[in-house]
Amino acid sequence: YTVPILRDITERKKAEEALRASEEAYKLLFESNPQPIWVYDTNSLAFLAVNDEAIYKYGYSREEFLHMTIKDIRPKADIPRLMDNIAHLSGGVDHAGDWRHIKKDGSLIDVEITSHILTFEGKQAELVIANDITARVAAEDALRKSEIRYRAIVEGTTDLICRFLPDTTLTFVNEAYC
């Protein structure tokens, strides 16, 4: 004589499906994000995951990234600063500032790093977003050089330099000589 035991597992199945859908959504957000993103182990510094934009931007395959550490994408001169930054990681969002990174082809790019500590696959890790600011840095450098040239011309002349625009007042660029 047997007694069948029935259990309603509907709620458990719904919870499992919700978890699976949530994991897929987060994976999609990570993989398809338009910014290069990666996760690295804060102890070994090894890349644990990289998104498609990081692969595209840096030129390494996913397999290559996963056999590298975050030191491998830094100029050697920047590694002491990197190690100091890692030594001072704390919880919450870290706006780590501007850094130089090396792409697979050897070219340098300027990036602005924002990161956050998390646990990933059972390891203490950091999620990193790398915003490419190479064009902005180049524009700022060109502006700085232009300003230096302009100041040298204005400050180096004994001639009176005036600027007159219609419907405005006359201004003297180098008033020290007026």
Side-chain angles (χ1 to χ4, degrees):
Y1 173 71
T2 60
V3 177
I5 300 174
L6 300 174
R7 289 190 189 131
D8 186 359
I9 60 169
T10 305
E11 291 303 314
R12 188 178 88 204
K13 288 292 186 183
K14 285 181 183 177
E16 288 173 356
E17 182 56 37
L19 179 61
R20 189 173 15 265
S22 177
E23 287 173 348
E24 288 175 16
Y26 279 104
K27 183 176 181 183
L28 178 64
L29 288 172
F30 177 83
E31 289 298 331
S32 63
N33 196 297
Q35 295 282 40
I37 300 177
W38 55 80
V39 177
Y40 75 93
D41 181 320
T42 57
N43 294 315
S44 70
L45 307 183
F47 285 99
L48 301 174
V50 294
N51 75 345
D52 293 339
E53 186 62 18
I55 292 165
Y56 170 76
K57 185 69 161 176
Y58 286 77
Y60 298 101
S61 69
R62 190 175 313 278
E63 294 74 27
E64 287 172 316
F65 262 120
L66 297 178
H67 285 94
M68 297 167 57
T69 72
I70 60 170
K71 287 181 180 181
D72 295 325
I73 62 168
R74 302 296 200 297
K76 290 197 186 321
D78 294 0
I79 292 180
R81 178 176 168 227
L82 171 67
M83 300 310 293
D84 183 58
N85 180 264
I86 292 169
H88 294 95
L89 290 177
S90 61
V93 175
D94 178 23
H95 298 282
D98 300 349
W99 295 82
R100 298 180 307 162
H101 283 179
I102 303 170
K103 295 169 49 172
K104 185 175 181 175
D105 67 7
S107 63
L108 286 176
I109 58 173
D110 295 293
V111 295
E112 181 178 59
I113 297 294
T114 305
S115 62
H116 193 280
I117 296 288
L118 51 82
T119 300
F120 185 82
E121 297 177 349
K123 298 175 181 173
Q124 182 176 333
E126 189 170 32
L127 173 73
V128 175
I129 299 173
N131 180 32
D132 186 348
I133 59 168
T134 305
R136 183 182 87 196
V137 168
E140 289 170 352
D141 186 50
L143 181 60
R144 206 171 10 264
K145 288 176 181 173
S146 176
E147 176 70 16
I148 290 168
R149 283 192 306 272
Y150 173 77
R151 285 192 182 279
I153 291 169
V154 170
E155 293 172 1
T157 185
T158 56
D159 296 333
L160 176 63
I161 301 174
C162 299
R163 179 178 47 209
F164 177 75
L165 301 172
D167 301 325
T168 65
T169 59
L170 179 66
T171 58
F172 296 98
V173 176
N174 58 345
E175 291 184 35
Y177 300 103
C178 293

